Amino acid sequence: MSDLLAEVARLLADDEHIGVDAVWISREGGLPLAVRVVPSAPEGSVPGAGPVGMTASAVTVILAATALPGKPEVGDLLAFGGASYKVATARQDERGTSYTLGLRRS
Amino acid sequence: MPEIPIREAAMAAILAALEAASLTSGGYPVTVERNRFDDVAEGEMPRLVLLDGNQDPDGGDNLEARQTCRALLAGYLTGGTVAEVATAINRLHAEAVRALVRPYGAAMPGPIALGDAIHDIQITEGGLRVETPSVVESEAPMASFLLELTFETHSPWGSPFITVP
C-alpha cells in the first residue's frame, strides 16, 4: 500500500501539468539537487491586528519522500518558478510516502 | 461657510497630518487611507489605514460639551524576512506617532488644527497590538499593527460642528 501511494506521489510530481521542476539545497550546504514538487498556493484572508485583515497566500509543496537522500529539514532551501523559498515547516504524511512543506519566501 | 461635524473634521485632520509626513517604509512610500474595511493585500503594502472610533462624553461646562474620541491606526507591512518586518513595524509605528503627536514637523508635542482657526485636537498615543501571520497562512513575511489614538473635542452643547472657511 505504501509503495502504491509513494508511486502515486511520484507520478503526480512527474506530471507536467501538476508538478514542477525545483532545486533543493540542504541548509547545511552541499550540491543542489533537482527534484519535482507539487506546489500549491491557496490565497486567503488572515487576521490583522485590527478589524482590517490581510490577504495572503501560503505556499506549500508536496515532495515525494524518495526525492531526497534524507528528511527535509526546516531551513533547507527550495527554488522553483523563479522564486526561492526557505522550508519553514516539514510534515510527513502518515504512511511516510511524502512530505508537505510550508515555505517562506527567502 | 460650510459646517462640518467636529468628529469628521478631526479624523480628516489626522489623515492630513499623516499624509503630510510623507512616511516611507523600506524605501517605499506609505499609502494612507481612511475607513477601509477590505483586506490589505501584499501588493498594497506598506499602508496605513485610519479608522474612526468611538467616543464618550467627558463632561464640559456651560459653554461647551467635551468628548473623548478614539481613532484606530492600522499599519500593514511586508518585507524580506520576519525580522525585517518586525523592525519596519517598529519604525513605522514610531514615525506615525511622531507625525500625529508632533504634527507637521513640530519640535514639541502640539495640537493638530481642525481648519477653522479655533479648534484643534491633541493626539495621545494608546495601546499597540502587533499581528504576524504564521507561515501556514502567508509565504511572504508580513505583519500588521493597530495603534489606538485618543483625542478630545470641544463643541457647543447640542451642535458638534465647526465652521470652516
Side-chain angles (χ1 to χ4, degrees):
Chain A
M1 186 68 170
S2 291
D3 288 346
L4 176 60
L5 289 170
E7 180 65 8
V8 169
R10 192 185 62 73
L11 286 172
L12 284 173
D14 286 347
D15 187 292
E16 63 176 315
H17 301 296
I18 300 174
V20 298
D21 289 324
V23 175
W24 177 273
I25 301 175
S26 166
R27 64 179 182 180
E28 292 167 0
L31 292 174
L33 183 65
V35 295
R36 293 282 295 181
V37 296
V38 178
S40 174
E43 189 174 272
S45 177
V46 299
V52 183
M54 295 176 279
T55 303
S57 58
V59 174
T60 63
V61 296
I62 296 173
L63 177 74
T66 55
L68 299 179
K71 285 183 175 181
E73 301 282 351
V74 170
D76 289 350
L77 301 176
L78 189 67
F80 62 91
S84 297
Y85 301 92
K86 192 173 279 188
V87 174
T89 61
R91 196 176 68 247
Q92 192 170 23
D93 75 279
E94 289 177 358
R95 295 181 177 87
T97 58
S98 65
Y99 291 92
T100 300
L101 308 177
L103 303 179
R104 183 75 92 180
R105 200 181 301 166
S106 70
Chain B
M1 291 191 292
E3 279 189 325
I4 301 175
I6 194 165
R7 271 173 57 84
E8 177 60 26
M11 295 303 299
I14 294 171
L15 185 73
L18 288 169
E19 288 173 337
S22 299
L23 303 177
T24 62
S25 180
Y28 296 96
V30 177
T31 302
V32 185
E33 64 180 324
R34 190 176 150 210
N35 288 338
R36 170 198 176 126
F37 291 95
D38 297 329
D39 285 353
V40 177
E42 181 189 354
E44 298 178 296
M45 301 174 188
R47 182 168 294 257
L48 289 172
V49 178
L50 179 65
L51 301 166
D52 297 9
N54 300 323
Q55 69 179 42
D56 291 302
D58 191 20
D61 55 29
N62 290 338
L63 296 176
E64 62 182 16
R66 293 183 193 142
Q67 306 286 341
T68 297
C69 303
R70 280 171 287 280
L72 298 172
L73 183 64
Y76 300 86
L77 289 175
T78 186
T81 66
V82 174
E84 281 178 22
V85 172
T87 299
I89 283 279
N90 290 337
R91 172 160 289 279
L92 182 58
H93 160 255
E95 290 184 348
V97 168
R98 183 164 59 189
L100 295 174
V101 179
R102 301 182 181 209
Y104 299 98
M108 300 294 289
I112 300 174
L114 298 192
D116 64 349
I118 299 172
H119 294 87
D120 56 36
I121 54 172
Q122 175 68 58
I123 301 294
T124 302
E125 177 188 3
L128 176 72
R129 289 182 53 207
V130 177
E131 181 77 27
T132 304
S134 70
V135 71
V136 296
E137 297 172 315
S138 173
E139 53 95 9
M142 59 172 64
S144 68
F145 72 78
L146 185 72
L147 173 65
E148 186 174 311
L149 308 169
T150 58
F151 57 91
E152 198 171 84
T153 61
H154 300 216
S155 59
W157 285 103
S159 183
F161 290 90
I162 66 170
T163 303
V164 296

